[in-house]
């Protein structure tokens, strides 16, 4: 018998709530199992773009080989997490697409707050954290509750609006023994036992579509849209000494994370001057000021 805490998603109810004309989505598919919702949605939208109008969402009750940054794989027990990928066709210049994983993190943090868990913070560029009682290397007094992965959909049509798939893996019901690594946490572990994955999905999708529309209205200017300020207020990275391991083995950058650039890159103040990190793994070393709640410079 299925535990109420891990009941299957009520797909008819989700479709009534989330599909147009009254909801934010043009299409919603729910799978029993997927190796990776991002991989499946990127492939499907690339093969048949007209069958996947945006915004569209692909949800998996169980993701067997989820993907994170740098090709890292992860998986969760069936129905213990919210694993969803959202197809967007944002009317943004390519140079502004770097803000998508950042504002997606804001959307996830708001869904976490709506579930009754306080203190969600954002680690640049794609992690959502919750406060912890002790420090761990690379995160400080936090544990990871969710990750975001944004991928551009290859499309050969010259007139196509660029499509981006934003994938989210949010730990919902895992007990401590079910968490993949000691640096992870879940909503249940943080006290939100029995959090409803369907309700989380609804908040997350609405928040994500909303922040992307705000970016579009502001022509991709996150500061003008007010999103730069909101991101800085929730950031666990800004105001912290960090070490950034650059993508492709291009070395490291160490210094204070001082702000987010117009393209979504992380600006780090080093002894040799400011450096902007656009891709890489960031490790928190120690806090230099009060955060989250850092004021943008």
């Amino acid at each position: 018998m299925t535990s109420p805490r891990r009941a299957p998603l009520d797909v008819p109810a989700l479709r009534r709530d989330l599909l147009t004309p009254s909801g934010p989505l043009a299409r919603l598919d729910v799978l029993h199992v997927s190796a990776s919702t991002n991989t499946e949605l990127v492939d499907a939208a690339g093969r048949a773009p007209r069958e996947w109008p945006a915004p569209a969402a692909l949800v998996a009750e169980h993701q067997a080989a989820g993907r994170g940054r740098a090709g890292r794989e992860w998986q969760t027990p069936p129905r213990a997490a919210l694993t969803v990928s959202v197809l967007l066709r944002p009317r943004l210049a390519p140079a502004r697409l770097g803000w998508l994983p950042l504002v997606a993190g804001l959307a996830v943090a708001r869904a976490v707050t709506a579930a009754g868990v306080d203190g969600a913070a954002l680690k640049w560029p794609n992690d959502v954290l919750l406060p912890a009682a002790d420090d761990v290397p690379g995160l400080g007094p936090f544990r990871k509750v969710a990750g975001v992965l944004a991928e551009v959909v290859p499309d050969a049509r010259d007139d196509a609006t660029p499509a981006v798939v934003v994938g989210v893996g949010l730990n919902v019901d895992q007990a401590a023994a079910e968490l993949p690594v000691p640096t992870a946490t879940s909503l249940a572990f943080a006290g939100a036992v029995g959090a409803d994955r369907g309700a989380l999905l609804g908040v997350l999708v609405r928040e994500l579509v909303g922040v992307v529309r705000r970016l579009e209205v502001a022509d991709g200017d996150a500061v003008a849209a007010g999103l730069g300020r909101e991101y800085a207020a929730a950031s666990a990275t800004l105001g912290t000494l960090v070490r950034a391991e650059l993508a492709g083995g291009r070395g490291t950058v160490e210094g204070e994370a001082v702000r987010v650039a117009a393209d979504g890159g992380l600006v780090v103040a080093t002894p040799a001057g400011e450096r902007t990190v656009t891709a890489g793994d960031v490790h928190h070393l120690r806090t230099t000021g009060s955060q989250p709640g850092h004021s943008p410079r």
Side-chain angles (χ1 to χ4, degrees):
M1 186 173 182
T2 301
S3 164
R5 289 173 52 188
R6 293 194 180 170
L9 292 166
D10 186 339
V11 178
L14 287 172
R15 286 182 170 148
R16 288 193 298 271
D17 181 44
L18 296 177
L19 291 180
T20 52
S22 58
L25 295 177
R27 177 171 174 174
L28 170 65
D29 285 18
V30 178
L31 305 176
H32 290 296
V33 63
S34 170
S36 163
T37 55
N38 256 41
T39 296
E40 292 204 30
L41 189 51
V42 167
D43 290 347
R47 288 194 315 270
R50 289 179 177 82
E51 295 179 14
W52 287 92
L58 181 65
V59 183
E61 293 278 25
H62 175 47
Q63 187 161 251
R67 291 188 298 113
R69 286 176 57 82
R72 299 185 183 96
E73 288 193 1
W74 56 273
Q75 59 178 297
T76 59
R79 299 173 183 157
L82 177 61
T83 50
V84 55
S85 294
V86 180
L87 174 70
L88 304 165
R89 293 190 183 275
R91 299 184 181 279
L92 298 173
R96 302 288 188 170
L97 292 178
W99 267 95
L100 284 181
L102 307 189
V103 299
L106 272 176
V108 177
R110 289 168 182 168
V112 169
T113 300
V117 177
D118 295 329
L122 305 176
K123 176 176 176 286
W124 188 94
N126 67 330
D127 291 342
V128 182
L129 311 177
L130 289 178
D134 56 346
D135 285 13
V136 293
L139 292 181
F142 294 98
R143 300 292 188 275
K144 179 177 174 177
V145 72
V148 177
L149 179 65
E151 299 182 89
V152 175
V153 178
D155 197 321
R157 297 181 299 150
D158 292 336
D159 62 342
T161 302
V164 180
V165 169
V166 177
V168 174
L170 171 60
N171 295 334
V172 177
D173 193 50
Q174 294 96 318
E178 295 174 311
L179 293 168
V181 292
T183 54
T185 189
S186 70
L187 299 187
F189 194 67
V193 177
D196 186 291
R197 291 183 302 131
L200 285 165
L201 176 63
V203 176
L204 172 58
V205 168
R206 285 188 167 88
E207 290 286 354
L208 177 58
V209 171
V211 292
V212 172
R213 283 177 180 161
R214 287 172 61 187
L215 267 184
E216 291 176 324
V217 169
D219 292 325
D221 187 332
V223 173
L227 293 166
R229 179 185 68 254
E230 292 170 23
Y231 182 87
S235 176
T237 299
L238 298 179
T240 299
L241 290 179
V242 300
R243 182 178 68 255
E245 297 176 356
L246 303 181
R250 294 183 294 110
T252 62
V253 174
E254 191 166 318
E256 182 187 356
V258 292
R259 65 181 180 276
V260 178
D263 63 357
L266 182 66
V267 180
V268 180
T270 78
E274 290 187 346
R275 294 275 305 275
T276 299
V277 177
T278 56
D281 285 335
V282 169
H283 303 272
H284 294 177
L285 302 180
R286 65 179 176 85
T287 302
T288 61
S290 141
Q291 43 82 224
H294 185 81
S295 298
R297 298 185 180 185

